[in-house]
Amino acid sequence: NGLMQSVDGLSLHPYVHCRGWRRNTPEAWIEWMSEVDKDLTRAAGRPVPLYLTEMAWPAHQGACGIDESLQAAYLARQFLTNLAEGIPRSIWYDWANDGSNPRETEHNFGTVTEDRKPKPAYLAARTLTSVLGRTSFARRLKGAPEDHFLVFEEASVEKLAAWTEGAPHP
C-alpha cells in the first residue's frame, strides 16, 4: 500500500545462531542481508538503509551454543563485514550477560559476564575499536572464497583485517 516509499530505514534483529552449520556464521548472515536489501530496494524503488539494532551469538552450553572464543571471532567478523557492506549502524546484543547459567541461551549473549568481567568478545570489540576506530573501509582484496581481506585507511595509512572460514593457513 505504498508504505515502502515512506520508509527512511529499517531496523533488523537478525539472530542466526540456530540456523545450522555454515548458515549461522557472520558471512552467511551477510548473504541473507544482501537478499533482504535487494528485496527492500525493489519494493521501495530506492535503497533503504538497514540498521542492525540487535545481533549476536550466545556463548552457552547446549543447542545452538558456541564457546566464548568463537563468539569473540564472530563479533569481530560481523562488525568488519558490516563496515565493508556499508551497514551504517550495528548494535551487539547484549553488553552484559543476563545471568550465570551456562546452559541458558538468554544468559550468555553478553560481551562481559553478569558480574562485569570481560569475556573474549569484549576484548575483540575493544581491539577493533582501538585499531580501526578512526579508519574508513577502503576495499576488499581478492583471495580464496573462504578467505576475507578488508583494507581500512586513515590518512595515508592502510590497515588490513584478514580471516578465513576454512582451515588455518598462511
Side-chain angles (χ1 to χ4, degrees), residues 24-26 57 66 69-79 92:
N24 64 348
T25 66
W57 283 263
I66 59 174
S69 294
L70 187 55
Q71 181 190 43
Y74 279 6
L75 179 144
R77 287 162 48 181
Q78 185 64 60
F79 278 107
W92 184 268

Side-chain angles (χ1 to χ4, degrees), residues 17 19 28 31 49 51 69 72 96 104 110 113 116 131 157:
H17 61 279
R19 290 191 69 200
E31 288 178 25
Y51 300 92
S69 294
E104 174 57 48
T113 64
R116 308 307 188 252
V131 173
V157 176

Side-chain angles (χ1 to χ4, degrees), residues 30-79:
I30 203 67
E31 288 178 25
W32 173 78
M33 282 292 294
S34 294
E35 292 303 314
V36 169
D37 185 44
K38 288 175 194 170
D39 290 344
L40 289 172
T41 298
R42 189 171 32 258
R46 62 181 170 77
V48 175
L50 301 177
Y51 300 92
L52 301 179
T53 52
E54 275 191 27
M55 62 175 209
W57 283 263
H60 71 284
Q61 300 166 8
C64 307
I66 59 174
D67 65 33
E68 290 183 355
S69 294
L70 187 55
Q71 181 190 43
Y74 279 6
L75 179 144
R77 287 162 48 181
Q78 185 64 60
F79 278 107

Side-chain angles (χ1 to χ4, degrees), residues 84-100:
E85 294 298 320
I87 297 171
R89 301 286 180 271
S90 304
I91 300 170
W92 184 268
Y93 175 86
D94 197 359
W95 177 69
N97 280 356
D98 292 333
S100 60

